[in-house]
Amino acid sequence: MLNNVQRELPDDLMKELRYQPFKTVEIGHPEIQRAAPKVTVDQGHAKLVSSIEAVIKKVGLKDGMTISFHHHFREGDYVFNAVMQILIDQGFKGLTLAPSSLTNVMNKMVVKAIKAGVVTHITSSGMRGELGDLVSHGGLENPVILRSHGNRARAIESGDIKIDVAFLGVPNSDEVGNANAIKGNAVFGSLGYALIDAQYADKVVLLTDTLMPYPNTPASIKQTQVDYVVKVDKVGDPEKIGSGATRFTKDPKELKIAEMVNAVITHSPYFKQGFSFQTGSGGAALAVTRYLRESMLKKSITASFALGGITKPTVDLLNEGLVGKILDVQDFDKGAADSMAITENQQEIDASWYADPNNKGAAVNQLDVCILSALEIDTKFNVNVMTGSDGVLRGAIGGHQDAANAKLTIISAPIVRGRIATVVDDVTTIVTPGDSIDVLVTELGIAINPKRKDLLKSLVNIPGVPVFTIEQLRQKAAKIVGQAAPLAFTDKPVALIEYRDGTLMDVVYQVKD
Amino acid sequence: MEIKHTAIAGTLESSDIQIMLSKIEGPTEIELESAVEKQFGTQIRTLMRTILEQYGITNVKLKAVDKGALDCTIKARLITAIQRAIDKQNDPDWEVLG
């Protein structure tokens, strides 16, 4: 079956997993019946458990169940590996792993769990490194289901993901489960993704190294949601949660791209008093924030809010009065995480509020300007952030599909990376459909999606910003690197890319070596 | 023409290629380890053979570690390695270079 972005989807798998093909980026007004968790009633007098082993017994974890984790500790996570090792040791089989995402520090453990038959199904935002390699080479029998952060919230709410036990690491909690992530030894700021698990999992287990006196406020996760609290030695390494002090790039190519991204924003009709933006992380994105700051000061324009994964430079804009509020689903660095405790206008939001398509209006729907990255973008403006140039899983959807609903969605990417073209005829894997993308910015110039004729007038005559068709940019890339031989895949699906509404966007196949 | 001794050119930096030429008995061998093997491996080997032939180099083993170098870089590094291997680094073969 062919979907609306011309990807051939395997009929038998579609039928088996009851998938509809991707049709449109318009969500419309469907009526949704939400699922509700099973609650084991408790008065909360004996929630504190002394070990992970003991809590696994208490929650009644069985073979074949679905377990979840969050990835807010990023590369400094100790909780995931500690819990998974015990599940492997105790010989559990056939579990479904449903974390908000998988970071590199978890890879070895997931590989081990797959090989031991402990984990047989995975749904995640993405995967990288040796885990991505293993799955792309057919190491997991069932295809991984990849969902955006907004789509994960939707899937949990609708019951597509039914979490039996959520193991949630928190920097602090009291003995009955009131917890936040702004105090303790391993602070990460917003608990955004974990809040959905706390709300919808049948059993919610908090793991913390810092017990607070009751009542612990502000409570991001509440005692009404929590079954057990486990005291562990250390939940995470604060040094590895974020990159520490965020440094601005000195790479002239990244600076040039950032300068052009800023020019596109400031010349667009959306750059006016009270606008909103999401920049994300990465060298170029941080540089954009710096250029944008200068433009805002010069034009005396302030933003109403900044959204998404938050970094220190965005918090600086807030403190400077250039941004009114921050809607914060996740913090990318220590500066942003630490500031949450002391900054009133840095509002923690959950993944549903952030980006869920099937609620009564998410923050991404209010967003004016969004800057996103791409591993590949094709002449239809479809974007790949999932598979590398060798066809192997090495990325994450993150909020890409969700934030791309901004009024002005800009993809910032170098025209080539090493010998690999970024602008191509057809991306290896479609993650975000071209209908969501408005402008591509490269160091050579920009391309405007022909569907956005309204943008042409304001963007064609910006000094120092040449405008090309995306086909012209593709040709320029091909001229630099030559024509790559097509990648070879087997017919075994290893991962399914959902669109944020739960329809099927693309299929990743096993690579042929 | 046979090379006089082993020679090396290039680095292991991203977007570069390191090429080593050494003398062997028998026909030319190319051993390529490339970050872009799947997409460009065949093209890179063809380019290397063409340049070796232009210089008339025989009985050589070419060992290369490619970190995603462009064709122009590969050509420059290989020519440098050849010139070094035949002790002509101060006396380039302009006809081939042209």
Side-chain angles (χ1 to χ4, degrees):
Chain A
M1 180 190 293
L2 218 55
N3 68 7
N4 269 5
V5 280
Q6 309 307 310
R7 292 285 151 141
E8 184 63 44
L9 308 172
D11 289 317
D12 43 344
L13 200 66
M14 299 273 292
K15 210 168 154 188
E16 187 191 324
L17 299 173
R18 286 191 225 141
Y19 269 119
Q20 294 296 315
F22 165 75
K23 273 203 188 77
T24 166
V25 298
E26 302 295 332
I27 299 299
H29 306 278
E31 259 185 18
I32 307 289
Q33 180 58 55
R34 288 201 178 159
K38 203 176 282 168
V39 175
T40 310
V41 175
D42 193 77
Q43 279 68 51
H45 298 308
K47 286 192 190 176
L48 194 62
V49 178
S50 59
S51 70
I52 298 172
E53 287 88 346
V55 91
I56 288 170
K57 217 172 201 172
K58 278 180 178 287
V59 294
L61 186 68
K62 291 187 183 62
D63 292 351
M65 281 188 165
T66 297
I67 56 172
S68 80
F69 298 85
H70 67 69
H71 71 295
H72 284 291
F73 287 112
R74 303 178 69 75
E75 300 302 341
D77 193 312
Y78 289 169
V79 168
F80 181 87
N81 287 341
V83 173
M84 289 304 295
Q85 183 60 55
I86 292 167
L87 298 182
I88 293 171
D89 291 345
Q90 297 194 346
F92 281 95
K93 297 282 177 221
L95 297 176
T96 294
L97 188 59
S100 55
S101 197
L102 292 163
T103 57
N104 286 310
V105 70
M106 305 169 186
N107 286 345
K108 268 198 168 54
M109 188 59 75
V110 182
V111 167
K112 206 155 102 179
I114 290 172
K115 288 186 171 161
V118 176
V119 167
T120 50
H121 294 75
I122 299 178
T123 173
S124 175
S125 159
M127 53 177 55
R128 302 183 165 84
E130 57 184 304
L131 175 59
D133 247 338
L134 177 84
V135 171
S136 272
H137 286 88
L140 184 68
E141 188 51 38
N142 303 292
V144 171
I145 297 175
L146 296 166
R147 295 180 166 105
S148 73
H149 293 320
N151 185 25
R152 179 176 189 267
R154 180 207 62 77
I156 291 172
E157 285 169 356
S158 69
D160 290 354
I161 302 175
K162 177 80 209 96
I163 302 170
D164 293 297
V165 185
F167 294 97
L168 306 175
V170 285
N172 69 74
S173 171
D174 60 27
E175 290 191 8
V176 288
N178 294 300
N180 64 53
I182 61 176
K183 279 173 269 176
N185 302 318
V187 161
F188 54 76
S190 173
L191 261 165
Y193 303 134
L195 296 178
I196 304 298
D197 304 53
Q199 203 180 337
Y200 282 90
D202 279 355
K203 298 277 183 184
V204 176
V205 175
L206 298 189
L207 302 99
T208 191
D209 54 17
T210 306
L211 279 176
M212 306 289 277
Y214 182 88
N216 181 34
T217 60
S220 301
I221 293 174
K222 296 167 192 65
Q223 63 184 88
T224 54
Q225 305 168 319
V226 176
D227 292 272
Y228 297 105
V229 178
V230 184
K231 170 84 167 62
V232 294
D233 284 343
K234 266 195 158 72
V235 284
D237 178 353
E239 295 308 312
K240 289 184 182 156
I241 291 172
S243 42
T246 310
R247 284 186 304 134
F248 284 111
T249 180
K250 286 188 181 140
D251 180 340
K253 189 161 72 177
E254 284 193 339
L255 287 173
K256 175 112 201 252
I257 294 172
E259 219 174 336
M260 276 203 261
V261 168
N262 185 56
V264 167
I265 296 171
T266 52
H267 285 80
S268 79
Y270 306 106
F271 187 62
K272 56 185 185 211
Q273 179 54 34
F275 81 112
S276 58
F277 65 89
Q278 170 166 340
T279 54
S281 64
L286 294 174
V288 171
T289 311
R290 183 168 54 165
Y291 288 119
L292 193 57
R293 176 183 171 272
E294 284 165 22
S295 302
M296 289 165 79
L297 285 171
K298 210 153 89 192
K299 293 266 170 73
S300 299
I301 285 176
T302 62
S304 54
F305 72 94
L307 179 64
I310 301 300
T311 56
K312 178 72 165 47
T314 308
V315 174
D316 290 344
L317 292 183
L318 181 81
N319 291 328
E320 219 179 324
L322 289 174
V323 168
K325 298 204 175 182
I326 290 175
L327 297 180
D328 188 338
V329 72
Q330 172 185 23
D331 293 287
F332 285 133
D333 59 29
K334 201 168 167 347
D338 286 344
S339 94
M340 188 146 226
I342 50 170
T343 312
E344 189 193 347
N345 286 330
Q346 188 175 348
Q347 168 71 48
E348 178 180 60
I349 61 172
D350 66 41
S352 179
W353 185 355
Y354 169 47
D356 185 345
N358 283 4
N359 59 22
K360 298 179 183 179
V364 289
N365 300 113
Q366 304 294 326
L367 192 59
D368 289 325
V369 178
C370 174
I371 302 142
L372 296 168
S373 62
L375 290 171
E376 290 178 309
I377 179 167
D378 67 24
T379 48
K380 281 74 70 182
F381 284 85
N382 297 318
V383 175
N384 170 22
V385 289
M386 187 54 66
T387 46
S389 57
D390 51 1
V392 172
L393 294 164
R394 52 149 294 178
I397 303 177
H400 206 284
Q401 295 172 343
D402 305 309
N405 283 283
K407 297 183 183 80
L408 175 63
T409 301
I410 300 168
I411 298 292
S412 100
I415 190 94
V416 298
R417 288 186 179 90
R419 202 180 175 156
I420 302 301
T422 308
V423 192
V424 295
D425 272 325
D426 285 289
V427 291
T428 310
T429 307
I430 301 181
V431 169
T432 301
D435 278 355
S436 294
I437 309 301
D438 301 310
V439 182
L440 164 67
V441 178
T442 72
E443 70 273 33
L444 298 184
I446 68 169
I448 302 162
N449 191 332
K451 288 179 179 163
R452 290 302 305 269
K453 287 198 176 65
D454 56 311
L455 285 174
L456 274 169
K457 215 174 90 194
S458 44
L459 300 183
V460 283
N461 286 318
I462 310 174
V465 182
V467 180
F468 299 99
T469 65
I470 194 153
E471 172 58 22
Q472 285 172 321
L473 287 179
R474 186 200 65 79
Q475 285 168 8
K476 283 174 187 292
K479 208 173 154 196
I480 298 169
V481 300
Q483 195 59 49
L487 295 171
F489 294 95
T490 73
D491 58 4
K492 177 185 161 62
V494 295
L496 306 174
I497 313 284
E498 283 191 8
Y499 186 58
R500 59 198 296 262
D501 63 358
T503 59
L504 198 57
M505 178 65 71
D506 207 349
V507 177
V508 181
Y509 290 93
Q510 179 184 356
V511 290
K512 214 185 242 178
D513 277 329
Chain B
M1 180 180 20
E2 285 191 14
I3 59 169
K4 294 184 175 163
H5 52 78
T6 298
I8 191 165
T11 72
L12 298 174
E13 295 292 318
S14 168
S15 293
D16 200 352
I17 184 168
Q18 191 170 65
I19 299 175
M20 188 165 78
L21 297 175
S22 40
K23 215 189 279 193
I24 51 164
E25 301 298 322
T28 297
E29 280 175 30
I30 292 179
E31 188 185 317
L32 172 68
E33 185 189 318
S34 173
V36 291
E37 174 64 42
K38 279 186 185 173
Q39 303 93 327
F40 294 103
T42 310
Q43 283 184 52
I44 294 171
R45 286 186 186 80
T46 308
L47 176 69
M48 287 171 164
R49 282 197 186 278
T50 309
I51 294 168
L52 288 172
E53 276 163 24
Q54 281 171 347
Y55 271 87
I57 304 286
T58 54
N59 302 91
V60 73
K61 174 163 182 176
L62 186 163
K63 202 174 166 190
V65 180
D66 169 43
K67 300 286 182 184
L70 298 175
D71 275 357
C72 52
T73 310
I74 297 168
K75 199 172 165 189
R77 293 304 192 193
L78 181 50
I79 287 171
T80 306
I82 294 172
Q83 300 272 5
R84 285 175 180 163
I86 57 177
D87 282 334
K88 288 261 187 133
Q89 56 264 55
N90 298 318
D91 180 18
D93 191 337
W94 294 111
E95 279 185 22
V96 177
L97 286 175

